[in-house]
């Protein structure tokens, strides 16, 4: 447990921006799941996000992400949808991803992105999302369930101190 507290970590603040499958009924999740906005760089795609700066509030980091997309956040309070913890790989830091509600958009309202580097914004169907945390975040948002806590991309066992992937 002490090792987990001493491990250097990179904390990411991501926004889940989604597009309803049926624009006439945006909360109709039984027919088709919505699509999720992702930033595609080469063969990799992920939710829009930034690394939390030392001393920066999560609210401010989320506002930076929204600003890069030319959007404003949904009204406060900032809604946490999922927490995704990935252990350190050799040569990299442990990753902690916080996924917040970034609101919804119409399919034809793809925002412009002021993100760094070569990229494009894409609408991704739920079945093609590379991160399980995004699926859980979408479930939290649409089905109004408790935010998911994941360890190595798998739901963590509540109250056990370890995730489905093993002890920390």
């Amino acid at each position: 447990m002490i090792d987990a507290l001493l491990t250097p970590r990179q904390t990411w603040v991501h926004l889940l921006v989604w597009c309803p499958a049926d624009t006439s009924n945006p909360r109709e999740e039984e027919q088709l799941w919505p699509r999720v906005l992702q930033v595609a760089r080469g063969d990799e795609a992920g939710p829009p996000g930034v690394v939390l700066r030392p001393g920066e509030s999560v609210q401010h980091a989320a506002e930076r992400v929204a600003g890069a997309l030319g959007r404003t956040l949904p009204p406060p309070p900032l809604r946490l949808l999922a927490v995704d913890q990935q252990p350190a790989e050799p040569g990299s830091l442990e990753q902690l991803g916080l996924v917040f509600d970034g609101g919804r958009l119409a399919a034809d309202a793809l925002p412009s992105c002021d993100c760094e580097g070569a990229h494009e914004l894409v609408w991704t169907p739920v079945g093609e999302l590379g991160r399980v945390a995004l699926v859980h975040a979408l479930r939290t948002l649409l089905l109004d369930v408790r935010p998911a806590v994941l360890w190595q991309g798998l739901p963590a066992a509540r109250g056990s101190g370890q995730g489905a992937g093993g002890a920390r």
Side-chain angles (χ1 to χ4, degrees):
M1 179 67 173
I2 292 175
D3 289 342
L5 296 174
L6 298 176
T7 302
R9 155 181 316 168
Q10 195 172 52
T11 302
W12 283 83
V13 175
H14 298 286
L15 293 183
L16 176 72
V17 178
W18 59 284
C19 168
D22 179 359
T23 54
S24 65
N25 188 3
R27 293 264 182 210
E28 179 58 66
E29 68 277 340
E30 291 177 314
Q31 296 297 322
L32 294 171
W33 280 85
R35 292 175 287 164
V36 173
L37 183 69
Q38 293 203 96
V39 179
R41 288 185 171 92
D43 292 339
E44 293 186 21
V50 295
V51 174
L52 189 65
R53 296 173 180 157
E56 181 180 32
S57 72
V58 171
Q59 177 73 37
H60 185 262
E63 289 168 356
R64 282 196 296 131
V65 180
L69 296 172
R71 296 183 42 79
T72 56
L73 291 173
L78 193 59
R79 184 170 177 202
L80 179 65
L81 302 175
V83 177
D84 186 17
Q85 187 173 5
Q86 297 289 328
E89 297 291 328
S92 66
L93 297 174
E94 176 183 4
Q95 301 284 316
L96 180 67
L98 306 173
V99 182
F100 292 95
D101 181 5
R104 71 177 180 99
L105 287 173
D108 59 354
L110 197 64
S112 61
C113 185
D114 196 16
C115 306
E116 294 180 19
H119 65 277
E120 67 176 314
L121 294 177
V122 295
W123 288 116
T124 306
V126 172
E128 297 176 19
L129 290 173
R131 291 185 67 175
V132 175
L134 294 179
V135 177
H136 282 279
L138 196 56
R139 283 184 67 245
T140 301
L141 184 65
L142 296 177
L143 303 178
D144 199 26
V145 295
R146 288 176 51 182
V149 177
L150 300 117
W151 170 251
Q152 293 182 298
L154 299 171
R158 297 200 188 273
S160 71
Q162 70 181 34
R168 292 186 205 208

